[in-house]
Every structure is written in C-alpha cells, then in structure tokens.
Amino acid sequence: MPPRERSRALPSILLGGALAAALAVAVALPSAPAPAETATSPSSTHSATPSTTASDPGPAATGIGDPYFPDHGNAGYDATSYDIALAWDDGEITGTSTMKATATTALSSFALDLRLRARSVTVDGKRAKFEQTGEQDLVITPTRPIAKGATMTVRVTYGDRTSEPLRPHPDENPWYRTPTGELLLGQPHAAAWWFPANDHPRDRATMSVRLTVPKGLTAISNGRLTKTTSSEDTTTWQWAARDAMAPYLAFVAIGKYRVTEGEGKDGLPWLNAVEEGVTGAAATGLVKTPDVVAWLEDWIGPYPFEVTGGVVPDMRAGFALETQTRPVYDPVFWGVGENNEILVHELAHQWFGDSITVHSWADIWINEGFATYAEWKWAEDQDRLTTEQSLARSWSVPSPSTFWQLTIGDPGPERIFDRAVYERGAMTLAALRRKVGDQTFERIVRTWAKERAGDTATDDAFREHAAKVSGKDLDDFFTIWLDTPQRPEPTEAAGLEGIERVPYPGSPPYGPEQDGDSN
C-alpha cells in the first residue's frame, strides 16, 4: 500500500467482465499559545497503571489495550458524547470539544488522543493541568480526583495547521487538500487529528459537530444536517449523529460541494455531496445509494442508522471509507464507468464495521470479509458471477503466493488492509454458506447483525455465533480458513468439497505489489 497504509483499502475485483475498481476499503482565527502549565516536549513519554480500587484514585493507562496499536484509545472512562465546534480557514483550524464520560475507575488523571496543540482544558468547569506526551496523548489532571462511576465533562480548546500538527505521524496525515477545500478521514485512526477523543472502536459515542468555514464553502460531517447560520464572512454547518460511533468513523469534508437530498422507498432520508470538479460517472455515482441500502436491508435486516448518503470529494487518495451514515469515495472508483459494487461494499460496512465494530484490530477480517462478500452477493443477484463462481475464482489463486501466506484471523498491524484479509474473508463466508446451507447461512448473517448491533465483536464471538446458529462443530472449519496461512484443500471440512479450479484474472504473478487499495 502507499505511505498512507493505515487509510484503508479494498482489492480490485473483476465482476461480469468489467473491472469494478473496488480499491477499498475532517471559525475562528487561531487561539493564543498554550498556557504555561502545558508541557509539549516531543521526547517526553507517559506511562501509568490504572487504579485498582475505587477508593484509591490513580492515573488511567494511556492505551485501551489493543495489542496491534498500543497507543490507541485510553483506559479509565467511557465516553458517551462529543460536542465539537471547529473553525477552518485555509488549513488553519481552531476548536473547542466537550466530551461527556463516565469514570470506570477512580481517576487522579486520564488521557485523550490529540495530535493538535491543546490550549486549555477544564474538567467539570474547573481548569485542569495537562501535558501532551508520546505519539498523541493529552494527559489531564483534574483539580480533584474523579470517583468511579462519576460522570465528567471535559472541555478542550485547541488549534493547529492541518499540515503541521503538533504530533505528526511519520508516514500519514488524514487531512487531504482538495481543489476547493480540505477533507479528513482515515483508518484505523483519524479523530486525534481534528478533535480530542478516546480514539478506538471500543469506546463509541454520539457526535454533534459545528463547522464554521468561509462563506461560500460547504462543510459536511456525519448524521443529519440540523442547522446552518451565516455571518458576513462565515457559515456554520451543524451536524448531529444520534447513534454512537467509533471516533475514527467521524469525518469532515470542506469545500464547494453540490448537495442533494431525498428519501428512499422506505422513507429513509439520504444526503449526498459531490465536490465541484468531479465529472463523469463519479458525479452521478451516488444516485444508486438508496437502492443499494434497500437491497442490503432485504439481505441483512433494517438499516442501523437514521440517515444515509455519500460524499465524493475531488481527490486522488485511492480509497473509500465507510464513515458512519455517509461513506466517502475517491472518484477513481468510477474511472471505467458505473460501479455500484463500491457502494455495496461501503454501505455493507454500515452494518459490519460501523454498527458492529471490531473489538481489536486483529478482528478486521469480519468487517472486510462481510463487505467483500456483499459485493459477491450483489453480482450474483445481478445475474453476473454467482458467489460459488467468485469463491472458485479466488480459490484458484496459485499457491504458493503471498495471497495464501497470511493468517487472516491475526494478520498483524502492518497487514490489516491486505487484499487477502478482504478476499479470503469473503471466501470464508462463501465456504461457510456451502458448509451449513443457504438458509442457515442467512440466519447466521441476520441474527449476527441484529444481536451485535451497537456493540463490538471479536473473531471468537463470530465463530461461536455461527456454531450456535448452525448447530455444527465449526472449529476445524474456522481453523482452516482463519488460522492457517495456506490455501485450503478442496475438502468437506473446509466447505470446498467438489469445487473446481478456474483461471484467476491477472495471475500469476500475485503479490502485494499487485494488490489494489480499497476499504
């Protein structure tokens, strides 16, 4: 993948003879410098041990406990809502974010993830000490300890240039310049580049966002547009997402956009935005969004959120992302004409990835496997390739090859967006369908989406769910597909009995250098 290897991607897939470019996979002037009590030495680090008893407040650990990304998220509290006011002017941002949270242990200090320069912090209305340490830790010490179970309101003011954050990442920045403005989105982390957050999928919260931009520009985010107000020089766009989301799924798109709105057949409202300068099939590619959502509902169950839509900025980042309620797509996906498969992939993620989020990033195959399988099912329902044909084609990738030399149930932090995770994840589901039968497989999918909605999920939880619904012992099956870095044999145990090899487009050779980027 390119330098932005953590900004998600999906493999290129041939469907019906046409290349479906499924490369899949955010105002005021700056504030004064940070107050004197702020320490921002890049060389400083912070480590802490969580409090062990409610009566003995201690510093909460920085890092939520994900082994792939130890510095992501934070322990000691559960965020419930973020209220963000952000002003943007030509890459200069200032903001005030208010987080409401509940302490899960007694706290003498705690941390938020923020790569921008913090200027002041209050906890429950009282000025708090803070320092910025490590990669992205904003360590906050309130004037009084926070009791276990107590609610707290944390208000942070901050500001920076998007291109020059206080804590830059060595090879990525999720802010993208476009011809008319700027865009923020990324995975597995992005929130810390535009607001202080507990930036890990385990801690979801509702979002209210007010974006103030120069007059004449549009500012788009998640959820419903609730209000716009204008002054002589600026316009403020207010967005509200009532359903809790993982912080990385929040996004900002600023620029000159053509905005259209409507309702789907079932009354579900949608809002699409396409940046000026986007032409051809990409300019109209979002039109099918309501139809794709309706098709997914027929397969999976009710759409999990209150609004849908999409955004097509005039950028060339090479990926799409399932930002909650409103995915963002690079125009490259429509480079060869109509491409509904990319809509299917990102909108399927609204169930598998957004409504149900990973508990740890090692579990990523569940998100990407379901979204890629949804593309296969769409092709089947459009009378192109059947899922059986898609499975056989992918199984026919030559071995040995890099495609098979990965354990997709535990791919490692550097390969969570590898093509094999996507395609072999879909193969796992297609083989599971063969193993348990069509009707049982449909029950597995629909009950998983319903029972885990609004929660995180692990690889182990899905294995247990599939076994429970099917009434079958699936331990060997999942070991073959998820825990073994080699091509499965065409056996009944693997759900591949009777499968026949077919030519695989573009192979050999096959390796990471041939993999496409998509989310």
Side-chain angles (χ1 to χ4, degrees), residues 349-399:
H349 271 312
Q350 301 301 302
W351 285 265
F352 309 115
D354 294 8
S355 175
I356 308 172
T357 59
V358 294
H359 185 75
S360 295
W361 284 104
D363 304 313
I364 187 66
W365 84 265
I366 305 175
N367 290 10
E368 300 306 341
F370 266 108
T372 304
Y373 179 84
E375 295 183 63
W376 292 6
K377 183 170 175 58
W378 172 269
E380 183 173 64
D381 286 6
Q382 300 299 308
D383 295 323
R384 298 204 292 271
L385 289 179
T386 65
T387 56
E388 178 82 2
Q389 290 170 324
S390 294
L391 172 61
R393 185 197 60 183
S394 295
W395 181 74
S396 298
V397 170
S399 179

Side-chain angles (χ1 to χ4, degrees), residues 281-508:
T284 58
L286 298 179
V287 170
K288 290 288 188 180
T289 294
D291 294 337
V292 171
V293 170
W295 176 83
L296 288 165
E297 286 187 305
D298 286 343
W299 173 42
I300 305 168
Y303 180 74
F305 306 121
E306 61 176 332
V307 64
T308 188
V311 179
V312 182
D314 188 6
M315 70 171 187
R316 296 297 181 271
F319 70 94
L321 186 65
E322 66 273 13
T323 39
Q324 190 162 307
T325 70
R326 191 162 294 114
V328 178
Y329 308 87
D330 187 317
V332 69
F333 290 103
W334 290 274
V336 294
E338 183 181 81
N339 181 7
N340 291 324
E341 285 75 18
I342 189 59
L343 300 181
V344 171
H345 186 101
E346 301 306 331
L347 291 168
H349 271 312
Q350 301 301 302
W351 285 265
F352 309 115
D354 294 8
S355 175
I356 308 172
T357 59
V358 294
H359 185 75
S360 295
W361 284 104
D363 304 313
I364 187 66
W365 84 265
I366 305 175
N367 290 10
E368 300 306 341
F370 266 108
T372 304
Y373 179 84
E375 295 183 63
W376 292 6
K377 183 170 175 58
W378 172 269
E380 183 173 64
D381 286 6
Q382 300 299 308
D383 295 323
R384 298 204 292 271
L385 289 179
T386 65
T387 56
E388 178 82 2
Q389 290 170 324
S390 294
L391 172 61
R393 185 197 60 183
S394 295
W395 181 74
S396 298
V397 170
S399 179
S401 74
T402 57
F403 183 72
W404 298 113
Q405 295 167 357
L406 182 69
T407 302
I408 68 167
D410 188 10
E414 297 304 321
R415 299 190 67 181
I416 56 175
F417 303 129
D418 192 281
R419 176 179 184 173
V421 173
Y422 292 69
E423 197 164 337
R424 285 172 55 196
M427 294 174 70
T428 301
L429 295 172
L432 178 63
R433 177 178 170 180
R434 286 174 118 247
K435 181 84 172 173
V436 303
D438 290 353
Q439 292 185 351
T440 299
F441 178 73
E442 296 301 311
R443 287 201 304 274
I444 290 171
V445 172
R446 293 180 71 89
T447 53
W448 177 254
K450 180 179 180 180
E451 293 172 9
R452 306 297 300 204
D455 200 357
T456 62
T458 65
D459 168 54
D460 285 344
F462 181 75
R463 299 185 197 207
E464 293 170 4
H465 175 80
K468 178 181 178 181
V469 173
S470 68
K472 292 179 177 289
D473 182 347
L474 297 173
D475 287 351
D476 290 345
F477 171 85
F478 283 120
T479 296
I480 291 168
W481 280 102
L482 303 177
D483 303 331
T484 308
Q486 65 185 43
R487 180 168 61 187
E489 296 296 324
T491 62
E492 188 277 336
L496 294 177
E497 188 175 17
I499 197 167
E500 296 183 1
R501 185 174 300 179
V502 298
Y504 190 93
S507 64

